Amino acid sequence: MNETTSPLTRAERLDRLPVNREHHRLVVGSGIGWALDAMDVGLISFVMTALVAQWGLSNGEVSWIGSIGFVGMALGATLGGLLADRFGRRQVFALTLLVFGLATGAAALSWSVGALLVFRFLIGLGLGAELPVASTLVSEFAPARVRGRVVVLLEAFWAVGWTLAALIGYFVVPAGDDGWRWALALGAVPALYAVVVRRGLPESVRFLELRGRTDEAEATVRRFERAADVAPVPSPAPAPPTAPPGARALWTGGAARRTAALWIVWFSINFAYYGAFIWLPTLLFNDGFSLVKSFEYTLYITLAQLPGYAVAAYLIEKWGRRPTLATFLLGSALGAGLFAAADADTAVLLTGMVLSFFNLGAWGALYAVTPEIYPTALRATGAGAAAGFGRLASIAAPLCVPLLVDAGGTGLVFATFAAFFLVASLAALALPELRGRSLDADTARGVTPSGLRG
């Protein structure tokens, strides 16, 4: 039997395909949701700065506005991964968009700090669940030879969304007393987009096979094959349906070491990134920049994220996952250290752009690595748990910034972030290198769905 008619699993049939319009639709469809997430997270940094001036908030109150959303994100990421392994990636993705879109629109009507905190928590529930689920869905469709690059490109939509937030922050928030309300009202768009996601994106073939829904899995694979003009070949019967193993499997056998390293990276990068970028406009404002100038500098620093993603997307398949992630985390540490020492306007701008370039490239590499290191039955659970643990740092970081400012000013704040980036870079070296490997090579990776050594 020749190669074109030999039985291939459905996962192998997906891996052999060239990138085609169905992949583009999946990445763009998921990426728009990702960008809307980023826009919402980015907007709160500008809203915080406006409320300091308008409501006369203390640093403590501002810290809780920045942190409460991450409390929701920590819970949402963990639950979202578990639900996605039980009910499907697409279903949970659409639900999370709906939740955080509606909550963001409601936040625009906030009448007090307490009301805003409640809405920010609900927003965080949706945001936290969406990101690991979307990266898992895309990674399970991307051909193995370009999977890392495709996931980094998905993550690049974060820069698009944060840039939109910076533009809204620059043009809308300072426009009047209700500028911040209009900015948040724009964040309700994901509620409408959730309908598009539910109708247009495919469900993971690997998930469908695990649930015994082979007809749906076959139809989805053929949809991608038609788009690539590739003839289908027979697929052997998949293994019998299995129940998801649960979060305990993350700490069993071969999965435990990689889980520990992954969680350290997630915690450290979350602390440094969200501590820096949630507070950046306010720190610039407190250091003597005008409201408009602090927003303008934040916009320029944000734009440096885009080339960071582009370089990471190239290197992730050229160098591999582990060296790319570790290098960009080292660059982030350097950028944060230089920002800590910056004492002139131009130096603040340039070192901030260096930090932004390397930090967001590191995020892209991290999202490429995370879904790969677990088997299909545990993939969304593992990605969600890592993200959820990382969100604990994103809760703590905005609360720690005022304490660090009081102890040593902006310089100490960013020196601390540099130390966290350095820790993350060292932990990244303990992650497995899986460039070009099939997502289904679980036994070759030493990890079975139960988490035991294969």
Side-chain angles (χ1 to χ4, degrees):
M1 189 175 291
N2 62 42
E3 183 179 0
T4 60
T5 58
S6 299
L8 296 173
T9 67
R10 293 184 180 89
E12 290 170 337
R13 288 162 62 187
L14 288 173
D15 273 342
R16 70 174 177 153
L17 296 178
V19 176
N20 58 65
R21 65 176 182 273
E22 289 295 335
H23 293 105
H24 296 157
R25 287 180 59 189
L26 175 62
V27 172
V28 172
S30 302
I32 291 173
W34 201 291
L36 292 170
D37 276 6
M39 185 180 76
D40 182 272
V41 175
L43 278 175
I44 197 60
S45 64
F46 297 96
V47 171
M48 285 164 50
T49 309
L51 291 180
V52 167
Q54 188 178 133
W55 285 4
L57 301 182
S58 68
N59 280 346
E61 289 172 317
V62 173
S63 296
W64 275 110
I65 291 173
S67 289
I68 194 65
F70 298 116
V71 176
M73 289 179 79
L75 181 60
T78 304
L79 291 178
L82 289 168
L83 291 173
D85 276 336
R86 186 168 296 274
F87 299 109
R89 284 66 160 128
R90 181 181 65 177
Q91 305 277 35
V92 176
F93 183 38
L95 177 62
T96 58
L97 286 170
L98 181 65
V99 169
F100 96 78
L102 292 175
T104 302
L109 304 175
S110 296
W111 54 90
S112 66
V113 173
L116 183 58
L117 290 176
V118 171
F119 290 130
R120 289 300 305 170
F121 174 78
L122 295 175
I123 290 166
L125 283 177
L127 286 171
E130 190 271 318
L131 298 176
V133 172
S135 61
T136 297
L137 178 63
V138 170
S139 70
E140 289 180 332
F141 275 101
R145 65 188 176 279
V146 292
R147 184 175 59 244
R149 185 166 297 161
V150 169
V151 176
V152 175
L153 291 175
L154 169 69
E155 230 288 282
F157 280 86
W158 185 269
V160 175
W162 203 282
T163 301
L164 287 173
L167 290 170
I168 294 169
Y170 183 66
F171 289 108
V172 177
V173 174
D177 288 347
D178 289 332
W180 65 272
R181 295 184 186 275
W182 286 109
L184 290 177
L186 291 172
V189 173
L192 300 175
Y193 186 64
V195 179
V196 178
V197 169
R198 179 64 183 82
R199 292 174 61 87
L201 294 185
E203 181 55 89
S204 165
V205 170
R206 291 169 170 88
F207 169 81
L208 291 172
E209 287 193 331
L210 282 177
R211 292 296 173 273
R213 294 157 61 181
T214 55
D215 290 344
E216 293 175 66
E218 180 65 24
T220 300
V221 173
R222 294 199 176 201
R223 170 176 158 185
F224 275 72
E225 288 174 332
R226 285 195 301 271
D229 197 24
V230 171
V233 296
S235 288
T242 59
R248 289 179 60 184
L250 298 174
W251 295 99
T252 306
R257 181 174 179 270
R258 61 191 64 193
T259 296
L262 187 66
W263 281 29
I264 291 172
V265 177
W266 270 92
F267 188 91
S268 300
I269 195 173
N270 267 277
F271 188 94
Y273 173 76
Y274 285 107
F277 284 91
I278 288 295
W279 269 94
L280 184 60
T282 303
L283 290 174
L284 293 174
F285 180 69
N286 290 342
D287 283 347
F289 291 85
S290 69
L291 186 67
V292 173
K293 179 62 74 173
S294 68
F295 286 1
E296 179 185 354
Y297 270 36
T298 302
L299 173 59
Y300 294 148
I301 290 170
T302 299
L303 289 172
Q305 297 178 9
L306 290 167
Y309 281 123
V311 175
Y314 173 76
L315 293 177
I316 200 83
E317 301 295 355
K318 189 75 173 178
W319 286 359
R321 280 72 162 130
R322 185 167 54 200
T324 301
L325 178 58
T327 298
F328 273 79
L329 287 167
L330 276 177
S332 301
L334 175 63
L338 292 173
F339 192 91
D343 57 2
D345 289 6
T346 301
V348 167
L349 179 60
L350 293 178
T351 57
M353 293 175 74
V354 170
L355 171 60
S356 186
F357 173 92
F358 281 106
N359 192 188
L360 276 296
W363 272 112
L366 181 59
Y367 269 105
V369 168
T370 300
E372 292 183 340
I373 69 175
Y374 296 109
T376 297
L378 196 58
R379 186 166 297 125
T381 297
F389 184 73
R391 298 306 176 194
L392 297 178
S394 62
I395 296 166
L399 296 173
C400 291
V401 167
L403 302 177
L404 293 170
V405 170
D406 291 342
T410 302
L412 178 60
V413 172
F414 281 86
T416 302
F417 296 153
F420 272 89
F421 282 129
L422 183 59
V423 170
S425 179
L426 294 174
L429 297 176
L431 294 172
E433 176 55 60
L434 301 171
R435 177 179 54 165
R437 300 283 292 276
S438 169
L439 284 176
D440 298 282
D442 297 326
T443 54
R445 299 205 300 271
V447 180
T448 64
S450 65
L452 299 175
R453 178 63 59 176

